[in-house]
Amino acid sequence: MKLIDMHAHFFPASVPDFASRFSNNGWPTVVHRNSEQADIVIDGNVFRPITHACWDTQKRLADMDVLGIDTQIICATPVLFAYHRPVEQTLALAEWLNDEALEMCQPSTQRLKALCQVPLQDIDAACKEVSRCMDNGHVGVQIGNHVGLKNLDDEGIVSFLHHCADIGAPVLIHPWDMMAPERMPKYMLPWLVAMPAETQLSILSLILSGAFERLPKSLKICFAHGGGSFPYLIGRVDNAWRHRDIVRQDCPHLPSSYMDRFYVDSAVFHPDALELLVKTMGEKRVMLGSDYPFPLGEQVIGELVKDHSTLSDNVKSRILAHNAAEFFNLD
């Protein structure tokens, strides 16, 4: 079966000295330990260790060959979003990253595609940059699930999503800057607990606010990590909508009726979870996503889908490639 991995990350081998350029701190940098290992460092503190798979296109293509991945869609690591900065600084980073992503794809543009990123704190600048990138060859845009205290139902962000629909730019929503870090200082709990909750918050923000009523059905939007905790808890949400008027005050229809308005990836790591995800979202709304090349991603990409005991070959084919080919308008 053909495989299209629509959720994979990159991090450049080096980042321009934006700290000196803009006379402020907090910019991620790369400190190399050797030719294959490095650390993302922020203000002298290690944020995350990474390997050369993040920046070495030939390593990425070799891994794809081993795993049988036909096409991989790459996007920047979310720590690079920089939504808290002045727009001119975030735009400078986004423009550089977006051009860098296309350079990384250049050795094999049939197998590597890129999502851009935008300065989402300024909607006009974000719309202009996503338009530039779609003209230049990106296949969509990745955005974070919130900008400070603004969730996806913020009118500015809804306007950006409308613009993406207008220009045919598919959107990947990726959780970041997770809630309550002071309560989760150890064991990667922000990634294990808060990240799924952030994704559910994003989906419910669009549904319960009535944003999907204002957005065109042509919008293509996908939530990473299997939709977080949303697929498991949609029954709870529907129950609340039926019995509490404050839940349905801005949402005219049953929350589960909006599940035909968005997609999720398959990064759920357990066959029972995948089966529930497909039953909940439908076979046309799940796409293969690995979170490559990070340790919390699927290590043998596509194995969960290919080896599933109850999914039909037709459903597997849709999840592994067909759905993503339609979502991103790939030949």
Side-chain angles (χ1 to χ4, degrees):
M1 293 182 179
K2 186 174 183 180
L3 271 67
I4 299 175
D5 180 5
M6 53 72 58
H7 176 191
H9 292 287
F10 74 93
F11 203 104
S14 62
V15 179
D17 188 0
F18 288 112
S20 295
R21 177 176 171 180
F22 295 116
S23 300
N24 52 26
N25 295 322
W27 294 93
T29 60
V30 182
V31 177
H32 288 265
R33 288 181 269 156
N34 52 53
S35 62
E36 297 185 354
Q37 295 176 310
D39 293 316
I40 301 173
V41 175
I42 302 176
D43 291 341
N45 298 311
V46 174
F47 171 77
R48 168 184 284 177
I50 55 176
T51 71
H52 63 310
C54 283
W55 65 80
D56 186 338
T57 296
Q58 296 307 317
K59 165 63 174 172
R60 184 179 296 266
L61 289 170
D63 286 350
M64 289 169 61
D65 288 340
V66 170
L67 295 168
I69 308 298
D70 296 277
T71 304
Q72 188 179 78
I73 299 174
I74 67 173
C75 56
T77 305
V79 70
L80 293 164
F81 284 150
Y83 296 153
H84 62 291
R85 295 187 177 277
V87 60
E88 64 274 9
Q89 298 182 17
T90 308
L91 178 59
L93 173 61
E95 290 175 335
W96 177 78
L97 275 172
N98 293 335
D99 294 344
E100 188 77 5
L102 291 183
E103 284 294 318
M104 291 183 66
C105 294
Q106 191 59 42
S108 184
T109 55
Q110 295 306 308
R111 300 189 67 192
L112 293 176
K113 309 288 183 181
L115 302 180
C116 67
Q117 74 174 47
V118 297
L120 195 59
Q121 70 271 43
D122 186 294
I123 301 306
D124 289 341
C127 290
K128 184 176 180 180
E129 179 61 8
V130 70
S131 294
R132 180 186 81 92
C133 289
M134 292 301 290
D135 288 342
N136 285 350
H138 290 80
V139 297
V141 58
Q142 175 193 219
I143 64 172
N145 70 305
H146 66 103
V147 177
L149 297 179
K150 296 178 180 179
N151 291 317
L152 294 186
D153 61 334
D154 172 76
E155 285 305 310
I157 298 176
V158 171
S159 295
F160 173 77
L161 294 175
H162 203 301
H163 177 75
C164 289
D166 290 343
I167 66 171
V171 183
L172 173 64
I173 307 294
H174 200 291
W176 82 299
D177 192 26
M178 280 79 80
M179 60 181 74
E182 66 281 357
R183 295 181 60 203
M184 294 177 268
K186 298 190 293 184
Y187 318 124
M188 291 198 76
L189 286 176
W191 281 263
L192 301 177
V193 175
M195 187 169 274
E198 289 281 2
T199 302
Q200 181 180 6
L201 174 59
S202 303
I203 298 172
L204 291 182
S205 294
L206 290 178
I207 292 176
L208 297 182
S209 70
F212 275 130
E213 296 292 325
R214 304 189 296 278
L215 287 164
K217 291 188 176 181
S218 59
L219 174 67
K220 294 180 177 179
I221 186 168
C222 176
F223 292 87
H225 307 143
S229 47
F230 173 85
Y232 180 72
L233 295 174
I234 183 56
R236 179 180 178 86
V237 180
D238 278 355
N239 183 66
W241 184 90
R242 289 187 179 101
H243 299 293
R244 291 301 306 273
D245 56 354
I246 59 174
V247 176
R248 59 178 179 268
Q249 62 185 5
D250 296 318
C251 180
H253 304 293
L254 194 67
S256 60
S257 69
Y258 293 92
M259 290 193 297
D260 64 349
R261 299 295 302 275
F262 60 92
Y263 294 68
V264 297
D265 73 15
S266 64
V268 293
F269 310 106
H270 194 283
D272 292 346
L274 179 62
E275 184 172 8
L276 174 65
L277 186 65
V278 174
K279 285 181 177 180
T280 303
M281 294 299 305
E283 63 189 52
K284 296 182 179 181
R285 295 280 163 175
V286 182
M287 300 182 284
L288 175 64
S290 70
D291 215 2
Y292 172 96
F294 296 134
L296 288 185
E298 186 175 26
Q299 300 305 299
V300 182
I301 300 172
E303 182 178 50
L304 180 66
V305 177
K306 289 188 291 184
D307 292 350
H308 202 280
S309 61
T310 63
L311 298 179
S312 70
D313 286 346
N314 180 64
V315 172
K316 291 178 181 180
S317 179
R318 291 204 67 93
I319 296 171
L320 291 172
H322 187 65
N323 292 341
E326 289 183 344
F327 187 86
F328 291 105
N329 301 308
L330 303 179
D331 293 332

